[in-house]
Amino acid sequence: MAKCAFLGLGVMGYPMAGHLVKAGHEVAVYNRSFAKAEAWAGEHGGSAHRTPREAAEGADFIMICVGNDDDLRSVCKGADGAFSGMGSGAVVVDHTTVSAEVTEELAAEAAALGGQFVDAPISGGQAGAENGVLVIMCGGEQAAFDAAKPVMQAYGRVIKRLGDTGAGQLTKMVNQICIAGLVQGLSEGLNFAEKAGLDIREVVDVIQGGAAGSWQMVNRHETMADDHFEHGFAVDWMRKDLRICLDEAERNGAALPMTALVDQFYKDVQKLGGGRWDTSSLIKRLRALD
């Protein structure tokens, strides 16, 4: 079994780090709020540390799951950063959804220090993290991926390397682009059903097995019907991800008209006070227009 550090104990990282312990790994954790790290250690039996450097010292694998590019840099770099405590040969596995640019920057720094870096953004939401069935999209050197994959299997159902450094983040961008259009289409369809006097649940029961079916439809139609959005992946985080997608599209020349439009629809949801609502709250925007 491996010695692991896990940096970032949010709604995703907290259960992911717990699965590592259940798989038999030795786990040291860091969180911006030390009290949360202590609570995790009390629950799972690992060790809590006050800095990323302390958590990373002696670790074979350094898992990271934080918020954005700046958060990632802050836990990796500086005197108290994980890179300062990282030993030669350690593998950094970044589960944060960030830009390909910061991924390439930190991968190069890790390599210069004798470490390896795998960008490994995740999909599956809080439920996927809690149940240990996440989809993990990876980029990096084959050898680093091969070393890290058995460890990631503690919380991953599908784990695939898509290419060199940055390929995991680019694949996650594809994931978010596709989701944005799906949720908007689902919201319009369900809102239309309501306006037509149909029962949303009965409609979905019929169409979910056909060409219109999707994970979003199966897992979100009931809460959308009930106007309940206090769960799942937050609008604020989705807008962060879509901004990454749009910025990358500016660099590679891809046209993202639907993504840009849905990003603005999510901005409207934020104005309704829904920054922390689940992304399926796009239907709430349509209801507000009625």
Side-chain angles (χ1 to χ4, degrees), residues 37-97:
E38 285 186 307
W40 182 92
E43 179 179 348
H44 296 285
S47 59
H49 298 269
R50 292 188 179 275
T51 69
R53 176 177 181 164
E54 291 174 359
E57 288 177 348
D60 303 307
F61 298 91
I62 303 168
M63 274 65 181
I64 307 173
C65 191
V66 290
N68 55 36
D69 286 23
D70 290 340
D71 293 333
L72 180 59
R73 285 190 179 97
S74 72
V75 298
C76 288
K77 302 174 75 167
D80 289 327
F83 286 178
S84 294
M86 178 179 66
S88 179
V91 181
V92 178
V93 180
D94 176 35
H95 292 304
T96 316
T97 298

Side-chain angles (χ1 to χ4, degrees), residues 185-186 189-190 193 198-214 217-218 221:
L186 177 61
L190 297 188
L198 299 171
D199 184 295
I200 285 179
R201 290 171 175 82
E202 291 185 358
V203 169
V204 171
D205 186 56
V206 172
I207 70 173
Q208 66 182 346
S214 68
M217 179 180 288
V218 172
H221 76 276

Side-chain angles (χ1 to χ4, degrees), residues 22-45:
K22 291 175 186 176
H25 300 295
E26 180 183 344
V27 183
V29 299
Y30 162 80
N31 193 66
R32 187 160 46 190
S33 165
F34 183 63
K36 194 167 188 179
E38 285 186 307
W40 182 92
E43 179 179 348
H44 296 285

Side-chain angles (χ1 to χ4, degrees), residues 134-186:
L134 293 167
V135 173
I136 309 177
M137 301 153 258
C138 301
E141 295 291 336
Q142 185 71 53
F145 171 77
D146 290 343
K149 183 177 179 180
V151 180
M152 291 188 283
Q153 285 174 334
Y155 44 74
R157 175 178 61 86
V158 177
I159 307 168
K160 186 174 179 64
R161 176 181 178 268
L162 285 307
D164 294 332
T165 298
Q169 293 298 344
L170 292 169
T171 302
K172 179 61 182 290
M173 293 176 209
V174 175
N175 186 78
Q176 301 305 73
I177 291 165
C178 292
I179 288 174
L182 282 170
V183 177
Q184 179 62 22
L186 177 61

Side-chain angles (χ1 to χ4, degrees), residues 254-282:
L256 299 180
M258 176 64 75
T259 303
L261 184 61
V262 176
D263 178 57
Q264 292 306 300
F265 291 163
Y266 277 124
K267 183 177 181 179
D268 293 341
V269 174
Q270 288 175 319
K271 290 178 180 177
L272 293 172
R276 302 306 298 171
W277 293 342
D278 178 70
T279 51
S280 60
S281 58
L282 280 174

Side-chain angles (χ1 to χ4, degrees), residues 7-21:
L7 315 179
L9 300 174
V11 295
M12 304 293 283
Y14 197 102
M16 290 167 70
H19 285 301
L20 288 174
V21 173

